[in-house]
Amino acid sequence: MPQKATTAMIFKRALGRRFEDLHPQLQRRFGFEQSCVGTGTMAEIWRGGRHTVPFLKLGTNRNILFPETGNDVPFVIENHVYQDSFGRDVVTFVRTFDVRAGLRRRFDATMIYSEARGAIVDYLGTHQHIAVDLHLDVDRRGGLHIRSGEQRFRMGGLDFVLPQTLTGTADLHEWYDDNEECFRIRVTVGNPRFGPIFGYHGRFTAQYVDTPVPATVKPYREEARE
């Protein structure tokens, strides 16, 4: 049976009254009354030193991180809203990077709002084995600032908090450029011990569509634990 389209209010719930401080274009984008497909270019994708490569390569197995770098990389972000098998409103954040001819990398995430945690929970990758708390704020230009918090690993009987020394803290800024009429984004991932790990920055425009949610953006496995 096809899933009924829904409207996810997860960012409005997480930000509360501060949602109205977002730039109107970001209010539309993160209000998720429609699916949003953004297309653009990452001016730069970078990574830390050689010591980060094994960690980043490991992430490619589940569409979490990747070791490739580049400039002027074509980029697509797909935000679709649906209800998962647990009846939760979910928003997809599926980012696709054409890092070079014949090689495409993806960074998959699905987000819910957790009443118990009072925050958005971001499930990373294709199998939702990692759940991350997100802390949101609005900057003075009406942009959205997201910083990752506690990370938990869930697989079968395994259920534990990942130590900060083994994880990367993500810092995301997204804002709207009125002069260029586009969204701009900057993401950095770092570790307190190993320093900068991965990041990218660039621009994109958004198209709002009313279409069925593609099966290709949904995770292979869903995790009930928040």
Side-chain angles (χ1 to χ4, degrees):
M1 179 180 296
Q3 296 233 333
K4 181 181 179 181
T6 184
T7 299
M9 309 291 286
I10 65 174
F11 281 81
K12 289 184 178 180
R13 295 171 73 182
L15 282 169
R17 292 182 179 178
R18 295 228 61 196
F19 186 84
E20 304 299 324
D21 295 331
L22 289 171
H23 187 286
Q25 290 288 350
L26 269 77
Q27 289 186 42
R28 183 183 184 189
R29 175 160 149 66
F30 289 99
F32 294 117
E33 294 184 5
Q34 292 175 284
S35 293
C36 178
V37 179
T39 57
T41 303
M42 291 300 104
E44 180 186 20
I45 300 175
W46 58 267
R47 62 168 171 82
R50 295 175 61 183
H51 61 282
T52 67
V53 173
F55 173 75
L56 294 172
K57 282 186 175 180
L58 183 64
T60 64
N61 295 326
R62 295 293 169 87
N63 288 355
I64 298 179
L65 292 172
F66 53 87
E68 289 79 18
T69 62
N71 298 104
D72 300 324
V73 176
F75 166 82
V76 175
I77 180 167
E78 299 178 77
N79 299 119
H80 297 279
V81 179
Y82 66 96
Q83 286 191 338
D84 67 9
S85 59
F86 305 110
R88 303 176 299 189
D89 287 346
V90 176
V91 178
T92 69
F93 279 77
V94 173
R95 288 142 284 200
T96 303
F97 305 83
D98 287 315
V99 292
R100 62 172 179 262
L103 183 60
R104 179 173 291 161
R105 293 298 193 192
R106 270 180 46 162
F107 182 9
D108 292 9
T110 44
M111 299 184 187
I112 66 164
Y113 182 80
S114 169
E115 292 283 0
R117 305 190 70 83
I120 290 176
V121 173
D122 186 7
Y123 293 105
L124 302 183
T126 56
H127 289 67
Q128 296 193 345
H129 287 317
I130 300 176
V132 184
D133 292 341
L134 298 184
H135 305 294
L136 277 58
D137 200 0
V138 180
D139 65 28
R140 60 187 178 184
R141 61 189 163 192
L144 181 65
H145 179 205
I146 302 177
R147 186 170 178 82
S148 64
E150 182 182 278
Q151 302 185 26
R152 301 168 292 282
F153 184 83
R154 276 76 182 268
M155 184 173 66
L158 296 175
D159 187 347
F160 57 88
V161 175
L162 291 164
Q164 288 187 342
T165 54
L166 298 180
T167 63
T169 298
D171 198 80
L172 178 150
H173 289 266
E174 184 174 321
W175 67 99
Y176 192 77
D177 186 329
D178 287 298
N179 293 327
E180 297 293 330
E181 296 185 336
C182 68
F183 293 92
R184 294 191 180 274
I185 187 168
R186 180 177 297 274
V187 174
T188 60
V189 180
N191 176 276
R193 179 178 179 183
F194 299 108
I197 296 174
F198 176 84
Y200 55 86
H201 64 92
R203 56 188 288 173
F204 63 93
T205 57
Q207 180 181 8
Y208 300 93
V209 296
D210 292 306
T211 59
V213 180
T216 54
V217 302
K218 295 182 179 181
Y220 296 141
R221 167 189 176 273
E222 293 179 340
E223 174 59 62
R225 292 167 290 187
E226 299 174 359

